Amino acid sequence: MNVHAVGGAMVIASARDLGLAVRQARQDRGRTQSEVAAAARVSRRWLSDLEAGKPSAEFGLILRTLDAVGLGLDAFPVEPAPEGLDLDTLFEDGRG
């Protein structure tokens, strides 16, 4: 998993990272996609797409899904990435 922890929090830098974090939280709680989808009032297909890292998803639905799997969202200042830097590629290469 490319999602990494900083001070107990996950740093999510892409839709793929978000999907992996949601899937892991769901599995850690022993819940099925259908159970979480019902709790978040989204379709199981939508949840499956989110967990697969689909890059476009309505933010309100994401927030409901995070709540359904027991995750919160926090924003904090970060240094901007150099222009043209692809974080997914950086982490996949094992350099990040």
Side-chain angles (χ1 to χ4, degrees):
M1 181 186 293
N2 287 341
V3 179
H4 60 281
V6 174
M10 291 176 276
V11 176
I12 296 174
S14 70
R16 182 173 179 268
D17 292 348
L18 177 62
L20 290 171
V22 167
R23 178 182 295 139
Q24 188 63 54
R26 176 181 59 77
Q27 291 174 340
D28 288 350
R29 286 159 180 77
R31 298 182 75 189
T32 67
Q33 282 185 338
S34 294
E35 290 169 336
V36 169
R41 300 182 324 273
V42 299
S43 71
R44 193 207 56 78
R45 173 62 188 205
W46 184 90
L47 179 59
S48 177
D49 287 346
L50 177 68
E51 288 186 359
K54 184 177 179 181
S56 61
E58 184 180 330
F59 192 67
L61 299 181
I62 291 170
L63 292 175
R64 288 196 327 229
T65 302
L66 291 175
D67 184 58
V69 297
L71 293 177
L73 183 65
D74 190 15
F76 55 91
V78 295
E79 292 295 320
E83 188 145 334
L85 177 64
D86 181 353
L87 293 176
D88 287 328
T89 302
L90 178 67
F91 287 121
E92 286 173 7
D93 289 346
R95 293 179 280 156

